[in-house]
Amino acid sequence: DRFPNGIKGVADYVHGKGLKLGLYNDIGTKTCGGYTGIDGNYELDANTFVSWDIDMIKIDGCNGNVADYYQMYPAFGAALNKTGKAIVYSCSWPA
């Protein structure tokens, strides 16, 4: 496996080195590279990132409806805030 201890294991390793860990995703159905995007699963994904102890998340907009970005990006930001964990949120629309 690419990450035998999961992303949480990577985060623990990186944090153990005194560094922060950031991830990338997309607000739409797929990332720019074709991997699964958030696709409306705001709370699920926000809680997953928190469970992995992620410090920063960059969200692109390669595969979402541009007309909906003004609703989608704030909705994901609200889901992140609801977790109570401080996470740097970098949003980019359109990508």
Side-chain angles (χ1 to χ4, degrees), residues 41-53 76 79-80 82-84:
N41 296 303
Y42 309 124
E43 288 191 17
L44 173 66
D45 285 4
N47 287 320
T48 299
F49 296 140
V50 166
S51 75
W52 291 341
D53 204 15
F76 183 65
L80 285 173
K82 188 175 175 183
T83 69

Side-chain angles (χ1 to χ4, degrees), residues 1-15:
D1 289 327
R2 184 180 290 181
F3 305 109
N5 296 314
I7 298 299
K8 175 68 170 117
V10 173
D12 291 344
Y13 175 80
V14 169
H15 292 148

Side-chain angles (χ1 to χ4, degrees), residues 3-91:
F3 305 109
N5 296 314
I7 298 299
K8 175 68 170 117
V10 173
D12 291 344
Y13 175 80
V14 169
H15 292 148
K17 299 291 183 186
L19 302 170
K20 303 287 186 181
L21 180 66
L23 291 181
Y24 160 85
N25 209 309
D26 192 279
I27 202 72
T29 57
K30 293 184 179 183
T31 67
C32 301
Y35 296 98
T36 303
I38 292 172
D39 196 22
N41 296 303
Y42 309 124
E43 288 191 17
L44 173 66
D45 285 4
N47 287 320
T48 299
F49 296 140
V50 166
S51 75
W52 291 341
D53 204 15
I54 300 305
D55 304 294
M56 185 268 183
I57 185 78
K58 180 185 186 300
I59 305 296
D60 267 340
C62 291
N63 291 292
N65 183 349
V66 175
D68 294 334
Y69 286 172
Y70 290 96
Q71 296 168 345
M72 298 163 79
Y73 280 96
F76 183 65
L80 285 173
N81 287 337
K82 188 175 175 183
T83 69
K85 180 181 181 349
I87 298 176
V88 175
Y89 175 35
S90 173
C91 55

